[in-house]
Amino acid sequence: MVVNGREAAVERYLQTSRRFIEQAHADFAAGDIRQASAKAWGAAAQAVKATAEHKGWEHGTYARLFEGVSRISSETGDTGFHVHFHIANSLRQNFYEGWQPDTFVQTGILRVNQLVDKLAAHITEE
């Protein structure tokens, strides 16, 4: 059921998340580590926003994104959401600082991909 366009917004966030994770993989393959890091962060943030939107939670600030991940972890009993989101946040920092070795970024992108998949599955399970 669509409530004030909520489900349409959820779908847009999920599509953007998927597009960003694809771009992160492509940017990494092209050697643009900072852009890969930024896109991976964006993918994670959009997936969290999709989940928050689905549940009717606020998601307009970094703090709200972290609160959303905390709520999802509490609901599911899966602390993996925390771990994967922390990795995504470190990639956001890497965009600005460029201090992470390539192997860390590559592994981080894979973890963000897992986070996106888990959040999308969480939405569809409800």
Side-chain angles (χ1 to χ4, degrees), residues 37-38 41 62 87-97:
S37 297
W41 161 254
Y62 286 121
I87 290 168
N89 190 53
S90 79
L91 291 172
R92 180 184 66 82
Q93 293 170 329
N94 192 60
F95 168 73
Y96 295 106
E97 303 298 330

Side-chain angles (χ1 to χ4, degrees), residues 70-88:
S70 182
R71 289 174 82 170
I72 294 161
S73 292
S74 293
E75 283 183 3
T76 63
D78 183 350
T79 59
F81 288 106
H82 281 177
V83 173
H84 287 84
F85 197 67
H86 274 291
I87 290 168

Side-chain angles (χ1 to χ4, degrees), residues 19-98:
R19 188 174 71 249
F20 282 172
I21 200 68
E22 289 173 11
Q23 289 174 338
H25 287 292
D27 287 341
F28 183 84
D32 194 342
I33 303 307
R34 285 187 171 194
Q35 278 302 313
S37 297
K39 294 300 189 313
W41 161 254
Q46 292 292 301
V48 172
K49 287 181 178 197
T51 306
E53 183 73 22
H54 177 72
K55 294 182 171 285
W57 301 340
E58 293 291 325
H59 54 79
T61 66
Y62 286 121
R64 293 285 192 232
L65 294 177
F66 277 89
E67 288 170 13
V69 171
S70 182
R71 289 174 82 170
I72 294 161
S73 292
S74 293
E75 283 183 3
T76 63
D78 183 350
T79 59
F81 288 106
H82 281 177
V83 173
H84 287 84
F85 197 67
H86 274 291
I87 290 168
N89 190 53
S90 79
L91 291 172
R92 180 184 66 82
Q93 293 170 329
N94 192 60
F95 168 73
Y96 295 106
E97 303 298 330

Side-chain angles (χ1 to χ4, degrees), residues 109-123:
I109 293 168
L110 295 173
R111 296 297 179 257
V112 170
N113 206 138
Q114 291 172 344
L115 175 64
V116 169
D117 289 344
K118 285 174 68 164
L119 288 169
H122 183 68
I123 290 170

